[in-house]
Amino acid sequence: QVHLVESGGGVVQPGRSLRLSCVASGFTFRSFGIHWVRQAPGKGLEWVAVIWYDGINKYYADSVKGRFTISRDNSKNTVYLQMSSLRAEDTAVYYCVRDNLEVAGTYDYWGQGTLVTVSS
Amino acid sequence: SYELTQPPSVSVSPGQTARITCSGETLPKKYAYWYQQKSGQAPVLVIYEDSKRPSGIPERFSGSSSGTMATLTISGAQVEDEGDYYCYSTDSSGTLRVFGGGTKLTVL
């Protein structure tokens, strides 16, 4: 059974850093691209970043480019999102999401999310 | 940055047809996808590649795309179809993903 479990959220002051983790299980992790998608309280979905299966190709939304870094450790079945220079508008639930290899361009599994609150 | 634009809300009576639009400058060249999100739940894919329906999605859900606009149509909308609907696509390079702002569908 596929599971994606996020952790690392919490309350952080503006300008500080935080690292989120997503631990995967139940599938061949090294074969799948993984995305981070966030949702601010009461707001819509926002795509944040993706890291391809091999860890080489990484892409970011303009809103986080230069501040966030996505990485993965295939030996630990884990994807990370290092967030720095955090702003109030980064407050959201952050979801780890798996690429659907059968239907290109879509997602098939979502984690339960971890809440990041940026506030002084 | 690339954007997809959706109406904030659509409201229909049960049995009527609901249409949710999504406009974006790269939609003539890139596929549109549609996700349904019910309160407190993870999003579910209801349409992919403009008009294809995943297995398990009712036939009343259909999609189309013409020019810079994609449309999700729910024919004979039911109360259980209420929720937020998001279109999704990529930028012109195909590497950056983007969600539309979401449309709240009310069926009552």
Side-chain angles (χ1 to χ4, degrees):
Chain A
Q1 197 155 353
V2 173
H3 287 291
L4 299 167
V5 180
E6 304 94 335
S7 62
V11 180
V12 61
Q13 293 180 329
R16 302 297 291 266
S17 298
L18 200 64
R19 189 178 81 160
L20 306 183
S21 299
C22 168
V23 178
S25 61
F27 63 99
T28 305
F29 179 73
R30 64 181 180 273
S31 297
F32 288 80
I34 300 292
H35 302 246
W36 287 96
V37 174
R38 69 184 181 184
Q39 188 165 30
K43 302 295 184 181
L45 301 170
E46 181 185 11
W47 177 79
V48 174
V50 60
I51 185 166
W52 287 19
Y53 68 98
D54 57 5
I56 295 175
N57 291 290
K58 309 170 188 180
Y59 301 98
Y60 302 90
D62 287 349
S63 58
V64 307
K65 195 170 185 179
R67 300 187 300 122
F68 289 13
T69 301
I70 191 170
S71 61
R72 66 190 294 160
D73 184 340
N74 285 346
S75 68
K76 296 182 178 179
N77 284 8
T78 302
V79 171
Y80 304 99
L81 186 67
Q82 179 68 47
M83 306 184 294
S84 60
S85 302
L86 283 162
R87 308 166 179 166
E89 54 265 35
D90 295 319
T91 294
V93 175
Y94 286 73
Y95 297 98
C96 169
V97 190
R98 191 183 84 163
D99 261 336
N100 183 343
L101 297 186
E102 295 186 6
V103 184
T106 67
Y107 310 127
D108 55 3
Y109 288 94
W110 298 63
Q112 85 289 349
T114 186
L115 176 62
V116 172
T117 303
V118 183
S119 173
S120 54
Chain B
S1 61
Y2 180 53
E3 294 183 353
L4 295 172
T5 302
Q6 300 179 233
S9 64
V10 168
S11 182
V12 297
S13 299
Q16 288 189 328
T17 296
R19 293 183 179 85
I20 300 172
T21 58
C22 172
S23 63
E25 62 184 20
T26 67
L27 290 181
K29 298 180 180 179
K30 299 297 182 184
Y31 286 126
Y33 303 80
W34 292 92
Y35 285 90
Q36 175 197 64
Q37 186 181 33
K38 297 185 179 181
S39 182
Q41 299 181 20
V44 172
L45 182 71
V46 295
I47 292 291
Y48 67 99
E49 294 181 356
D50 291 345
S51 59
K52 297 178 181 177
R53 194 173 54 249
S55 61
I57 300 301
E59 291 185 5
R60 62 181 180 272
F61 287 86
S62 63
S64 62
S65 186
S66 178
T68 60
M69 184 168 288
T71 302
L72 172 69
T73 301
I74 307 173
S75 303
Q78 301 182 9
V79 174
E80 59 261 36
D81 298 331
E82 284 196 334
D84 297 317
Y85 289 82
Y86 297 90
C87 62
Y88 172 84
S89 188
T90 67
D91 70 341
S92 57
S93 71
T95 55
L96 304 186
R97 316 289 182 94
V98 63
F99 285 96
T103 299
K104 181 176 182 61
L105 174 66
T106 302
V107 183
L108 55 73

